[in-house]
Amino acid sequence: MGHPPLEFRDCYLDSPNFRERLKCYEQELERTNKFIKDVIKDGNALISAMRNYSSAVQKFSQTLQSFQFDFIGDTLTDDEINIAESFKEFAELLNEVENERMMMVHNASDLLIKPLESFRKEQIGFTKERKKKFEKDGERFYSLLDRHLHLSSKKKESQLQEADLQVDKERHIFFESSLDYVYQIQEVQESKKFNIVEPVLAFLHSLFISNNLTVELTQDFLPYKQKLQLSLQNTRNHFSSTREEMEELKKRMKEAPQTCKLPGQPTIEGYLYTQEKWALGISWVKYYCQYEKETKTLTMTPMEQKPGAKQGALDLTLKYCVRRKTESIDKRFCFDIETNERPGTITLQALSEANRRLWMEAMDGKEPIYHSPITKQEEMELNEVGFKFVRKCINVIETKGIKTEGLYRTVGSNIQVQKLLNAFFDPKCPGDVDFHNSDWDIKTITSSLKFYLRNLSEPVMTYRLHKELVSAAKSDNLDYRLGAIHSLVYKLPEKNREMLELLIRHLVNVCEHSKENFMTPSNMGVIFGPTLMRAQEDTVAAMMNIKFQNIVVEILIEHFVKIYSGPPEESAAPPVPPPRVTARRHKPITISKRLLRERTRVYNTTSLDESEGDSDSFSKVWPPGEKPTIIRPPVRPPDPFCRAATPQKTKPDIVVGNAGEIPSSVVASRTRFFETASRKIGSSQGRLPGDES
């Protein structure tokens, strides 16, 4: 099942609901850690126990089949469905291989054990360290806060100020620890999709091609492997773009945690202490309070410190709120409220003076404050000058640089980009820029175009249609997906639709030269998804939908002719899919359900009758009881060229899958090595070392 995203603003509130959601992530992290340990353990048993090979493979297969990916959000992309179902496919394939008595290659440990162990120690281990720091800082902060709130207001002002500074310092430390921990645990939850699957995929690949008896099986496996690698690469690209947006959101939340209010959330919420009078005296009880300004409803949930005790929430209707005078009570940060449900005045204590002001402003008290919104970059408009700028950029790109490798992926100099934009959008002489000047290279122009589109006051595909477009991309009905996006395009304002058509036509032209520039529709979707579409609210949940924005752009590119040939007819409108009772299930790529073919086996040519022709001496149908001569692949593939750390001059938007490029990881290098070895073995079809053709 899916987990709800952890919002960064909840780190500031530290509500019980937030702690419960965080606990679910921690349990999933522990489950994943245990799963990785099991895979490593079973993998080592498979490598070392060659005599018990069949039983070890069976156990490993069962371990893979028992694991199911959890995910953030409510829907998976097609690629993520392929990844989620991949372990089941691997398990079915291992069962088939177990009947073939496969042999394990010597470098299986490098392909499987080391990457998983590295992920478990470096990523999951680092997350656990973050958890320890989070718990330690939280315990220290709340302990200090409890002592701080019991300080008398009659103490010296210098002592009170020093105590306030200490509390603020500890609150800041705890808030940063909470942000870092939430960010890290969500990053591990997302990145495990490819960091766990990729080593297992490479291990399986080496398993199937380790001897000449599995050449035919390897040929069946390669198409699935390539499709799954594409899914992994696409998911990695979506993850990279989403992580950048989340880092920006995390940075903004650090600067102003109270400025982002989510739709449907209370006006204000947090911890308050309530003065309660008893026969033997007065006590202060801790509550988690939520106030909705429109209905004037205050919900108070008691926080019983004793384990096992649980009380229900209390809903009150506010009549008025007034600040409590300092000299009238021996507590700080207090204010009084009166409600319809309870007679008399209720005295509440906030956590700080700033916190009291926030509560009083929300409740229309006497001391309202005003928030400063998060500073945004200077916004641009979709006007005549903007259209002129886009057309000029496209003209230069298609004339001079459409075959440039990594077009739109390589980032230009920020100084040059700002210089070009300032010159073109100068109010005194807008548009007076010669794009053919040698000062403006292709990557500067492409970066300027992306910057302009990203900083429009409203995205090209508008806030109003954002949810409908994302919902259409989430559908598992491909016909409905295309039909819904086709229909929504013609609901855009005229100038937005004109700009979108201009851009998509250009992206189609770019993709037609993908053999030279390596920019496919999927790659362009990763780049222009967050550029042409944006959610109105900055939340983690919105960031998780970026991958579906990428799918919308990819569909627009692939079906440009159909979509822009005209608006859809009323009769051709796609039916609205019925609501799903269970989670969406997509038919993933599969190898275990393929049609099996008659396999041929390789004989040792030295044992064949000399009277047989050369053309018949290499491949025969395997007779029962006979064993073939096994040809081992090389023991260890060479390390990739990129093992040494090298400085990176530019930050690419995506990673383009190019067979001719240097591999991006050790696993990718070794996988490619074995593909080459497989092709060589397949071409020789049974020739043994020492045999001459």
Side-chain angles (χ1 to χ4, degrees), residues 401-407 409 509-520 656 658 661:
I402 198 168
K403 295 183 179 181
T404 302
E405 182 177 342
L407 184 65
R409 176 171 60 92
N509 293 337
V510 172
C511 293
E512 287 177 352
H513 296 80
S514 59
K515 290 185 178 180
E516 292 87 6
N517 56 36
F518 304 116
M519 302 309 292
T520 63
V656 179
N658 177 16
E661 294 179 349

Side-chain angles (χ1 to χ4, degrees), residues 95 108 126 232 271 359 497 510 528 632:
N95 288 331
F126 180 68
L232 289 168
Y271 289 101
W359 280 99
R497 187 167 67 251
V510 172
F528 280 90
R632 294 181 180 272

Side-chain angles (χ1 to χ4, degrees), residues 274-285 287:
T274 303
Q275 185 188 62
E276 296 190 359
K277 299 179 181 179
W278 308 96
L280 299 179
I282 297 175
S283 64
W284 290 85
V285 181
Y287 285 83

Side-chain angles (χ1 to χ4, degrees), residues 132-392:
K132 291 180 182 178
K133 186 176 185 301
F134 165 75
E135 292 176 343
K136 181 179 178 181
D137 292 344
E139 183 180 353
R140 186 170 61 247
F141 167 67
Y142 282 117
S143 175
L144 179 63
L145 181 62
D146 287 337
R147 295 197 305 270
H148 179 66
L149 294 175
H150 285 82
L151 287 178
S152 173
S153 59
K154 296 179 181 179
K155 288 187 175 293
K156 293 182 180 180
E157 185 64 25
S158 59
Q159 293 178 330
L160 295 177
Q161 290 179 357
E162 182 179 357
D164 290 346
L165 291 175
Q166 183 65 23
V167 169
D168 289 340
K169 179 181 178 182
E170 291 298 328
R171 180 186 291 109
H172 180 71
I173 293 173
F174 173 57
F175 179 48
E176 285 199 345
S177 297
S178 181
L179 278 175
D180 292 338
Y181 178 44
V182 167
Y183 174 80
Q184 179 65 24
I185 198 170
Q186 290 192 115
E187 182 178 36
V188 172
Q189 176 76 357
E190 282 289 284
S191 65
K192 70 179 183 182
K193 297 173 185 174
F194 45 83
N195 279 326
I196 298 177
V197 176
E198 194 175 38
V200 178
L201 177 64
F203 167 75
L204 292 181
H205 188 59
S206 68
L207 179 68
F208 299 142
I209 63 175
S210 61
N211 59 72
N212 201 37
L213 302 180
T214 59
V215 171
E216 292 178 356
L217 182 59
T218 303
Q219 292 172 351
D220 291 341
F221 176 71
L222 281 175
Y224 171 80
K225 169 187 167 292
Q226 291 167 355
K227 291 178 182 177
L228 185 56
Q229 278 187 320
L230 180 60
S231 294
L232 289 168
Q233 188 63 63
N234 290 339
T235 303
R236 188 191 296 274
N237 291 341
H238 294 321
F239 168 77
S240 299
S241 62
T242 302
R243 180 172 59 181
E244 292 177 3
E245 297 293 335
M246 288 181 65
E247 287 175 349
E248 289 296 325
L249 176 60
K250 175 186 170 185
K251 181 179 179 181
R252 293 198 296 271
M253 287 299 300
K254 278 186 176 181
E255 296 172 354
Q258 286 287 350
T259 57
C260 296
K261 179 182 179 300
L262 303 181
Q265 294 289 330
T267 304
I268 189 171
E269 55 184 321
Y271 289 101
L272 292 175
Y273 288 79
T274 303
Q275 185 188 62
E276 296 190 359
K277 299 179 181 179
W278 308 96
L280 299 179
I282 297 175
S283 64
W284 290 85
V285 181
K286 186 178 182 180
Y287 285 83
Y288 188 79
C289 301
Q290 297 174 302
Y291 179 69
E292 184 58 54
K293 190 171 185 178
E294 294 182 359
T295 59
K296 292 190 174 182
T297 302
L298 177 65
T299 302
M300 301 178 65
T301 305
M303 302 301 299
E304 181 62 46
Q305 300 299 326
K306 297 180 180 179
K310 187 174 182 180
Q311 302 178 22
L314 180 64
D315 291 331
L316 304 174
T317 304
L318 185 71
K319 293 174 64 175
Y320 74 88
C321 169
V322 62
R323 180 181 65 84
R324 185 70 178 261
K325 293 183 179 180
T326 305
E327 61 271 13
S328 66
I329 190 171
D330 190 27
K331 293 286 183 181
R332 308 173 67 204
F333 320 134
C334 294
F335 60 98
D336 294 336
I337 64 171
E338 188 170 315
T339 64
N340 295 331
E341 290 77 9
R342 292 179 61 174
T345 300
I346 302 174
T347 300
L348 302 175
Q349 183 184 26
L351 304 182
S352 65
E353 180 61 31
N355 187 241
R356 177 173 70 172
R357 290 178 180 175
L358 289 174
W359 280 99
M360 292 189 63
E361 180 190 38
M363 295 180 174
D364 294 325
K366 295 182 179 181
E367 298 179 9
I369 63 170
Y370 302 93
H371 301 294
S372 299
I374 298 176
T375 304
K376 294 184 177 180
Q377 291 178 321
E378 184 178 355
E379 295 176 338
M380 298 183 175
E381 299 296 332
L382 193 62
N383 51 24
E384 184 178 346
V385 178
F387 271 91
K388 183 178 180 181
F389 175 74
V390 172
R391 288 191 179 98
K392 277 198 169 186

Side-chain angles (χ1 to χ4, degrees), residues 563-574:
I563 292 175
Y564 283 98
S565 61
E569 300 178 1
E570 292 296 330
S571 59

